[in-house]
Amino acid sequence: MFDLLAWSFVVLLIFLVVYYKRHAILALLPAELAMRLPSSWFASDYTLLPSTFQEQAEQGYSTSAFDLEGNISDDARVGLDSQQLDELREIMRRKRVNFDEARLIRQRMEMRRNGIDPDTGLPIDAKAVTRL
């Protein structure tokens, strides 16, 4: 009985050490493997999303193809949609792409979700009427 209790304690201790040192352990993993892990494992990297257009532009969510600064002067909205911005950050982190490429990837995923072929812009549904 004592042996079982001792081994249980050792296993519990190992799990606690691994849990508290998980960020150091994850940093040692190869980038290819780290990209496949769930984002919840990197919870300490959490930062608040910028909430205004100015903050979003300052943090790099603006490029020459998507110029926030040039379009925000008369806009009454607070900022970009936080859910979409979070999706873009996740795409940028996982695929290691810049803001414009992440927007393109997200747009293509959204088109696919809506039943549209992202390459042609035509419906994927074989029953859809595309010409008369």
Side-chain angles (χ1 to χ4, degrees):
M1 181 69 178
F2 178 73
D3 289 339
L4 179 62
L5 185 62
W7 279 110
S8 298
F9 180 73
V10 169
V11 169
L12 179 65
L13 188 65
I14 290 172
F15 278 123
L16 286 173
V17 169
V18 169
Y19 176 77
Y20 283 112
K21 295 292 184 179
R22 70 185 182 274
H23 301 294
I25 295 169
L26 290 172
L28 298 174
L29 294 177
E32 301 86 30
L33 181 62
M35 286 184 353
R36 294 182 181 160
L37 296 175
S39 62
S40 62
W41 289 20
F42 300 94
S44 71
D45 295 336
Y46 178 77
T47 56
L48 290 175
L49 291 174
S51 60
T52 65
F53 283 126
Q54 292 291 11
E55 290 175 4
Q56 291 165 350
E58 289 169 4
Q59 289 192 7
Y61 296 106
S62 179
T63 63
S64 59
F66 188 76
D67 186 20
L68 274 177
E69 294 174 9
N71 294 320
I72 61 175
S73 59
D74 296 330
D75 202 331
R77 293 177 291 174
V78 177
L80 298 173
D81 181 24
S82 62
Q83 181 182 4
Q84 293 174 2
L85 192 59
D86 195 29
E87 285 180 46
L88 288 172
R89 284 185 63 200
E90 185 66 20
I91 291 169
M92 290 168 68
R93 185 188 71 77
R94 282 194 180 272
K95 298 196 182 240
R96 309 230 191 271
V97 295
N98 64 22
F99 181 62
D100 284 331
E101 292 172 3
R103 284 188 323 114
L104 178 63
I105 291 168
R106 188 194 169 283
Q107 186 63 32
R108 288 180 175 220
M109 288 175 11
E110 191 67 26
M111 290 176 78
R112 244 182 242 110
R113 273 186 235 137
N114 290 320
I116 300 170
D117 182 16
D119 296 326
T120 63
L122 296 173
I124 295 173
D125 186 7
K127 297 177 185 176
V129 177
T130 55
R131 50 191 134 150
L132 297 173

